């Protein structure tokens, strides 16, 4: 489903860039230490967060149950979700950042 999709993270933990983009990689199936390039600091920071918290998760309130909803409704639900995530992170010392996704289709 997401193999052709892209995701943008807005100022993730450890990033110096405003937005970083991710897409499924192809062509390299070896261990990460064999990767032919070095990782930016935000990658190491987010990997550490994933290791210490059981993963990283992207969530949205858009189009619940996969059913298209009016844009204004989606935006309102996403703002409610963002407030809930902010409250939860404040309570437990969590980390969050905004993201967005898109695909060619």
């Amino acid at each position: 489903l997401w193999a052709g999709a892209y995701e943008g993270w807005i100022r993730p933990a450890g990033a110096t860039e405003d937005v970083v983009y991710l897409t499924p990689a192809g062509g390299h199936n070896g261990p990460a230490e064999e990767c032919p390039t070095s990782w930016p600091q935000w990658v190491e920071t987010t990997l550490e967060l994933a290791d210490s918290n059981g993963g990283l998760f992207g969530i949205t309130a858009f189009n619940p149950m996969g059913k298209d909803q009016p844009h204004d409704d989606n935006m309102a639900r996403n703002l409610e979700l963002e407030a809930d995530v902010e409250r939860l992170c404040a309570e437990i010392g969590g980390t969050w950042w905004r993201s967005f996704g898109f695909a060619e289709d």
Side-chain angles (χ1 to χ4, degrees), residues 85-94:
V85 169
E86 284 180 322
R87 268 191 303 278
L88 176 62
C89 286
E91 286 176 20
I92 66 169

Side-chain angles (χ1 to χ4, degrees), residues 8-26:
W9 287 357
I10 302 170
R11 290 181 295 285
T16 56
E17 303 90 341
D18 285 338
V19 177
V20 297
Y21 293 93
L22 301 97
T23 185

Side-chain angles (χ1 to χ4, degrees), residues 88-103:
L88 176 62
C89 286
E91 286 176 20
I92 66 169
T95 302
W96 74 277
W97 55 84
R98 291 178 178 88
S99 68
F100 58 92
F102 56 96

Side-chain angles (χ1 to χ4, degrees), residues 22-104:
L22 301 97
T23 185
H28 180 74
N29 294 319
E33 57 271 4
E34 292 179 8
C35 184
T37 189
S38 60
W39 296 107
Q41 181 55 46
W42 68 266
V43 172
E44 294 300 325
T45 302
T46 55
L47 288 174
E48 289 169 9
L49 282 170
D51 287 345
S52 64
N53 294 290
L56 296 174
F57 305 92
I59 58 174
T60 184
F62 268 57
N63 298 331
M65 305 300 289
K67 296 182 181 171
D68 288 341
Q69 299 293 315
H71 184 73
D72 289 344
D73 292 350
N74 281 327
M75 293 298 290
R77 273 193 303 279
N78 235 38
L79 287 173
E80 291 173 12
L81 175 61
E82 183 176 318
D84 287 345
V85 169
E86 284 180 322
R87 268 191 303 278
L88 176 62
C89 286
E91 286 176 20
I92 66 169
T95 302
W96 74 277
W97 55 84
R98 291 178 178 88
S99 68
F100 58 92
F102 56 96
E104 291 182 34

